[in-house]
Amino acid sequence: MANIGSALKDEIVRLAKKEVRKEIEGLKKASAMYRSDIAALKRQVAVLEKQVARLEKNGPKKATLEVEDGASTKFRFSAKRFSVQRQKLGLSAGDMGTLIGVSAQTIYNWEAEKSRPRRQQLAAIASVRKLGKRAVQAQLADPVK
């Protein structure tokens, strides 16, 4: 009798394992597919982050290089005149910072005379002085230019 009971128990275990294997196989395939999708997305994110870093690195320098080639004279900086120019163009500190290649906080510090712009930033400021409202808005709308 013990033989039939153990044989029945072994058969039940075998069939249960077979059923579990069927269920798990589909999950394994789905899991492998998700892992490959995640790996592909990670690679894509890495490529995009490199592109963004490259564009950020080249963006602000591009405007200052154009100005440095155009004029090699010394520029004077007045915090009050700079503030008036920004307001005349209708720009926020963030927008002005985008044009020059600095942060909005830097613009506020210049206007409050807590700090002064560097030479290449002075050149960028001089180039912004030459622009009108429309040209500034166009440049802000298309920062790649």
Side-chain angles (χ1 to χ4, degrees):
M1 226 28 208
N3 232 355
I4 293 177
S6 70
L8 186 59
K9 183 179 176 185
D10 290 342
E11 186 63 19
I12 291 172
V13 168
R14 186 184 70 78
L15 289 175
K17 285 182 180 179
K18 186 177 178 182
E19 289 296 318
V20 169
R21 242 183 273 130
K22 276 186 201 176
E23 293 296 321
I24 290 179
E25 190 172 321
L27 293 174
K28 282 183 180 178
K29 286 182 181 178
S31 177
M33 186 178 72
Y34 295 146
R35 284 183 184 158
S36 66
D37 288 346
I38 289 170
L41 289 172
K42 283 183 178 180
R43 286 190 297 272
Q44 187 178 7
V45 166
V47 167
L48 291 173
E49 285 177 344
K50 285 180 183 177
Q51 287 177 349
V52 167
R54 188 173 354 118
L55 289 174
E56 286 177 349
K57 183 179 177 183
N58 293 338
K61 288 185 179 179
K62 195 173 190 180
T64 58
L65 290 177
E66 291 172 3
V67 174
E68 287 175 3
D69 294 339
S72 61
T73 61
K74 289 191 172 189
F75 301 107
R76 292 185 301 179
F77 177 78
S78 166
K80 187 174 181 179
R81 284 181 25 207
F82 181 71
S83 177
V84 168
Q85 176 70 22
R86 180 173 69 84
Q87 291 171 358
K88 185 176 95 175
L89 292 174
L91 296 175
S92 66
D95 290 340
M96 182 64 97
T98 302
L99 286 172
I100 296 172
V102 296
S103 69
Q105 187 62 46
T106 303
I107 299 295
Y108 288 127
N109 287 340
W110 290 348
E111 290 178 355
E113 296 182 357
K114 291 182 181 178
S115 64
R116 294 190 52 81
R118 296 184 178 135
R119 187 178 311 153
Q120 59 183 207
Q121 294 163 343
L122 283 172
I125 292 169
S127 71
V128 171
R129 280 185 199 155
K130 296 176 186 176
L131 300 176
K133 272 189 175 182
R134 289 183 188 157
V136 166
Q137 293 303 324
Q139 198 167 359
L140 285 173
D142 188 22
V144 178
K145 252 185 170 177

